[in-house]
mmCIF file of all heavy atoms in Angstrom:
data_model
loop_
_atom_site.group_PDB
_atom_site.id
_atom_site.type_symbol
_atom_site.label_atom_id
_atom_site.label_comp_id
_atom_site.label_asym_id
_atom_site.label_seq_id
_atom_site.Cartn_x
_atom_site.Cartn_y
_atom_site.Cartn_z
ATOM 1 N N HIS D 309 -49.525 -7.220 22.856
ATOM 2 C CA HIS D 309 -50.360 -7.927 21.879
ATOM 3 C C HIS D 309 -50.445 -7.161 20.554
ATOM 4 O O HIS D 309 -50.550 -7.742 19.498
ATOM 5 C CB HIS D 309 -51.770 -8.202 22.449
ATOM 6 C CG HIS D 309 -52.476 -6.964 22.917
ATOM 7 N ND1 HIS D 309 -52.105 -6.292 24.061
ATOM 8 C CD2 HIS D 309 -53.521 -6.282 22.395
ATOM 9 C CE1 HIS D 309 -52.899 -5.231 24.225
ATOM 10 N NE2 HIS D 309 -53.762 -5.214 23.233
ATOM 11 N N LYS D 310 -50.344 -5.805 20.627
ATOM 12 C CA LYS D 310 -50.481 -4.992 19.413
ATOM 13 C C LYS D 310 -49.164 -4.756 18.675
ATOM 14 O O LYS D 310 -49.141 -4.684 17.452
ATOM 15 C CB LYS D 310 -51.044 -3.607 19.783
ATOM 16 C CG LYS D 310 -52.476 -3.638 20.234
ATOM 17 C CD LYS D 310 -53.047 -2.245 20.315
ATOM 18 C CE LYS D 310 -52.626 -1.545 21.587
ATOM 19 N NZ LYS D 310 -53.303 -0.245 21.773
ATOM 20 N N TYR D 311 -48.088 -4.567 19.446
ATOM 21 C CA TYR D 311 -46.838 -4.088 18.830
ATOM 22 C C TYR D 311 -45.659 -5.039 18.959
ATOM 23 O O TYR D 311 -44.588 -4.732 18.430
ATOM 24 C CB TYR D 311 -46.444 -2.732 19.442
ATOM 25 C CG TYR D 311 -47.540 -1.701 19.380
ATOM 26 C CD1 TYR D 311 -47.967 -1.038 20.523
ATOM 27 C CD2 TYR D 311 -48.163 -1.406 18.169
ATOM 28 C CE1 TYR D 311 -48.983 -0.093 20.466
ATOM 29 C CE2 TYR D 311 -49.185 -0.468 18.108
ATOM 30 C CZ TYR D 311 -49.597 0.191 19.260
ATOM 31 O OH TYR D 311 -50.592 1.108 19.203
ATOM 32 N N GLY D 312 -45.797 -6.142 19.682
ATOM 33 C CA GLY D 312 -44.642 -6.993 19.930
ATOM 34 C C GLY D 312 -43.643 -6.266 20.809
ATOM 35 O O GLY D 312 -43.983 -5.314 21.524
ATOM 36 N N ASN D 313 -42.395 -6.718 20.728
ATOM 37 C CA ASN D 313 -41.316 -6.114 21.522
ATOM 38 C C ASN D 313 -40.591 -5.101 20.633
ATOM 39 O O ASN D 313 -39.948 -5.478 19.658
ATOM 40 C CB ASN D 313 -40.380 -7.242 21.972
ATOM 41 C CG ASN D 313 -39.165 -6.759 22.732
ATOM 42 O OD1 ASN D 313 -38.721 -5.636 22.563
ATOM 43 N ND2 ASN D 313 -38.616 -7.629 23.562
ATOM 44 N N THR D 314 -40.712 -3.815 20.980
ATOM 45 C CA THR D 314 -40.094 -2.764 20.161
ATOM 46 C C THR D 314 -38.829 -2.199 20.825
ATOM 47 O O THR D 314 -38.481 -1.027 20.623
ATOM 48 C CB THR D 314 -41.091 -1.636 19.846
ATOM 49 O OG1 THR D 314 -41.592 -1.123 21.087
ATOM 50 C CG2 THR D 314 -42.257 -2.115 18.999
ATOM 51 N N THR D 315 -38.170 -3.025 21.608
ATOM 52 C CA THR D 315 -36.865 -2.681 22.208
ATOM 53 C C THR D 315 -36.933 -1.317 22.918
ATOM 54 O O THR D 315 -37.790 -1.131 23.758
ATOM 55 C CB THR D 315 -35.759 -2.778 21.133
ATOM 56 O OG1 THR D 315 -36.021 -3.944 20.330
ATOM 57 C CG2 THR D 315 -34.386 -2.962 21.719
ATOM 58 N N ALA D 316 -36.072 -0.356 22.544
ATOM 59 C CA ALA D 316 -36.025 0.922 23.277
ATOM 60 C C ALA D 316 -37.297 1.751 23.123
ATOM 61 O O ALA D 316 -37.541 2.680 23.893
ATOM 62 C CB ALA D 316 -34.823 1.743 22.821
ATOM 63 N N ALA D 317 -38.131 1.404 22.154
ATOM 64 C CA ALA D 317 -39.356 2.184 21.925
ATOM 65 C C ALA D 317 -40.513 1.709 22.802
ATOM 66 O O ALA D 317 -41.513 2.407 22.942
ATOM 67 C CB ALA D 317 -39.760 2.095 20.458
ATOM 68 N N SER D 318 -40.391 0.525 23.393
ATOM 69 C CA SER D 318 -41.593 -0.072 23.987
ATOM 70 C C SER D 318 -42.116 0.697 25.192
ATOM 71 O O SER D 318 -43.323 0.863 25.342
ATOM 72 C CB SER D 318 -41.361 -1.553 24.311
ATOM 73 O OG SER D 318 -40.887 -1.742 25.608
ATOM 74 N N ILE D 319 -41.226 1.184 26.058
ATOM 75 C CA ILE D 319 -41.727 1.908 27.245
ATOM 76 C C ILE D 319 -42.377 3.239 26.855
ATOM 77 O O ILE D 319 -43.501 3.508 27.289
ATOM 78 C CB ILE D 319 -40.633 2.083 28.322
ATOM 79 C CG1 ILE D 319 -40.244 0.707 28.890
ATOM 80 C CG2 ILE D 319 -41.122 3.010 29.440
ATOM 81 C CD1 ILE D 319 -39.154 0.741 29.951
ATOM 82 N N PRO D 320 -41.724 4.092 26.035
ATOM 83 C CA PRO D 320 -42.424 5.347 25.711
ATOM 84 C C PRO D 320 -43.718 5.146 24.918
ATOM 85 O O PRO D 320 -44.659 5.926 25.075
ATOM 86 C CB PRO D 320 -41.382 6.158 24.911
ATOM 87 C CG PRO D 320 -40.357 5.178 24.475
ATOM 88 C CD PRO D 320 -40.345 4.092 25.515
ATOM 89 N N ILE D 321 -43.795 4.090 24.094
ATOM 90 C CA ILE D 321 -45.072 3.821 23.407
ATOM 91 C C ILE D 321 -46.122 3.418 24.440
ATOM 92 O O ILE D 321 -47.246 3.929 24.449
ATOM 93 C CB ILE D 321 -44.918 2.706 22.342
ATOM 94 C CG1 ILE D 321 -44.004 3.150 21.200
ATOM 95 C CG2 ILE D 321 -46.289 2.297 21.789
ATOM 96 C CD1 ILE D 321 -43.687 2.048 20.175
ATOM 97 N N ALA D 322 -45.750 2.507 25.331
ATOM 98 C CA ALA D 322 -46.697 2.037 26.361
ATOM 99 C C ALA D 322 -47.117 3.195 27.263
ATOM 100 O O ALA D 322 -48.299 3.328 27.618
ATOM 101 C CB ALA D 322 -46.061 0.916 27.187
ATOM 102 N N LEU D 323 -46.174 4.049 27.606
ATOM 103 C CA LEU D 323 -46.488 5.197 28.472
ATOM 104 C C LEU D 323 -47.493 6.117 27.793
ATOM 105 O O LEU D 323 -48.497 6.525 28.401
ATOM 106 C CB LEU D 323 -45.196 5.964 28.795
ATOM 107 C CG LEU D 323 -45.382 7.271 29.554
ATOM 108 C CD1 LEU D 323 -45.954 7.014 30.954
ATOM 109 C CD2 LEU D 323 -44.055 8.032 29.651
ATOM 110 N N ALA D 324 -47.251 6.447 26.529
ATOM 111 C CA ALA D 324 -48.161 7.349 25.813
ATOM 112 C C ALA D 324 -49.561 6.744 25.741
ATOM 113 O O ALA D 324 -50.566 7.450 25.919
ATOM 114 C CB ALA D 324 -47.618 7.641 24.418
ATOM 115 N N GLU D 325 -49.644 5.423 25.524
ATOM 116 C CA GLU D 325 -50.970 4.784 25.466
ATOM 117 C C GLU D 325 -51.617 4.737 26.851
ATOM 118 O O GLU D 325 -52.826 4.947 26.981
ATOM 119 C CB GLU D 325 -50.848 3.372 24.881
ATOM 120 C CG GLU D 325 -50.555 3.406 23.383
ATOM 121 C CD GLU D 325 -51.012 2.150 22.648
ATOM 122 O OE1 GLU D 325 -51.041 1.063 23.255
ATOM 123 O OE2 GLU D 325 -51.345 2.277 21.454
ATOM 124 N N ALA D 326 -50.831 4.466 27.875
ATOM 125 C CA ALA D 326 -51.382 4.405 29.243
ATOM 126 C C ALA D 326 -51.959 5.765 29.635
ATOM 127 O O ALA D 326 -53.033 5.855 30.244
ATOM 128 C CB ALA D 326 -50.300 3.969 30.236
ATOM 129 N N ILE D 327 -51.255 6.838 29.264
ATOM 130 C CA ILE D 327 -51.749 8.195 29.562
ATOM 131 C C ILE D 327 -53.047 8.455 28.787
ATOM 132 O O ILE D 327 -54.037 8.924 29.352
ATOM 133 C CB ILE D 327 -50.673 9.251 29.224
ATOM 134 C CG1 ILE D 327 -49.507 9.133 30.210
ATOM 135 C CG2 ILE D 327 -51.259 10.661 29.249
ATOM 136 C CD1 ILE D 327 -48.293 9.967 29.844
ATOM 137 N N ALA D 328 -53.045 8.095 27.499
ATOM 138 C CA ALA D 328 -54.248 8.320 26.665
ATOM 139 C C ALA D 328 -55.440 7.538 27.213
ATOM 140 O O ALA D 328 -56.589 7.975 27.091
ATOM 141 C CB ALA D 328 -53.955 7.914 25.227
ATOM 142 N N GLU D 329 -55.186 6.397 27.842
ATOM 143 C CA GLU D 329 -56.270 5.577 28.403
ATOM 144 C C GLU D 329 -56.653 6.016 29.814
ATOM 145 O O GLU D 329 -57.452 5.355 30.485
ATOM 146 C CB GLU D 329 -55.832 4.096 28.434
ATOM 147 C CG GLU D 329 -55.740 3.477 27.048
ATOM 148 C CD GLU D 329 -54.966 2.153 27.045
ATOM 149 O OE1 GLU D 329 -54.774 1.557 28.127
ATOM 150 O OE2 GLU D 329 -54.524 1.744 25.958
ATOM 151 N N GLY D 330 -56.048 7.092 30.309
ATOM 152 C CA GLY D 330 -56.388 7.625 31.634
ATOM 153 C C GLY D 330 -55.884 6.771 32.781
ATOM 154 O O GLY D 330 -56.407 6.834 33.905
ATOM 155 N N LYS D 331 -54.833 5.993 32.543
ATOM 156 C CA LYS D 331 -54.337 5.078 33.577
ATOM 157 C C LYS D 331 -53.351 5.760 34.535
ATOM 158 O O LYS D 331 -52.929 5.152 35.515
ATOM 159 C CB LYS D 331 -53.660 3.864 32.925
ATOM 160 C CG LYS D 331 -54.652 2.971 32.166
ATOM 161 C CD LYS D 331 -54.222 1.519 32.252
ATOM 162 C CE LYS D 331 -55.379 0.562 32.139
ATOM 163 N NZ LYS D 331 -55.792 0.252 30.787
ATOM 164 N N ILE D 332 -52.948 6.997 34.208
ATOM 165 C CA ILE D 332 -52.007 7.712 35.077
ATOM 166 C C ILE D 332 -52.597 9.086 35.402
ATOM 167 O O ILE D 332 -52.934 9.848 34.499
ATOM 168 C CB ILE D 332 -50.627 7.874 34.387
ATOM 169 C CG1 ILE D 332 -50.042 6.497 34.033
ATOM 170 C CG2 ILE D 332 -49.674 8.646 35.292
ATOM 171 C CD1 ILE D 332 -48.722 6.551 33.269
ATOM 172 N N LYS D 333 -52.719 9.372 36.716
ATOM 173 C CA LYS D 333 -53.314 10.646 37.148
ATOM 174 C C LYS D 333 -52.263 11.473 37.902
ATOM 175 O O LYS D 333 -51.301 10.900 38.436
ATOM 176 C CB LYS D 333 -54.490 10.385 38.100
ATOM 177 C CG LYS D 333 -55.597 9.532 37.500
ATOM 178 C CD LYS D 333 -56.751 9.346 38.476
ATOM 179 C CE LYS D 333 -56.395 8.702 39.805
ATOM 180 N NZ LYS D 333 -55.869 7.343 39.737
ATOM 181 N N PRO D 334 -52.464 12.778 38.002
ATOM 182 C CA PRO D 334 -51.516 13.590 38.766
ATOM 183 C C PRO D 334 -51.350 13.040 40.187
ATOM 184 O O PRO D 334 -52.323 12.648 40.822
ATOM 185 C CB PRO D 334 -52.178 14.973 38.800
ATOM 186 C CG PRO D 334 -53.043 14.994 37.584
ATOM 187 C CD PRO D 334 -53.527 13.586 37.386
#
Side-chain angles (χ1 to χ4, degrees):
H309 56 288
K310 291 191 280 187
Y311 306 126
N313 176 334
T314 56
T315 319
S318 91
I319 294 179
I321 294 174
L323 173 65
E325 288 205 331
I327 291 171
E329 290 165 17
K331 293 213 153 84
I332 301 176
K333 302 182 302 298

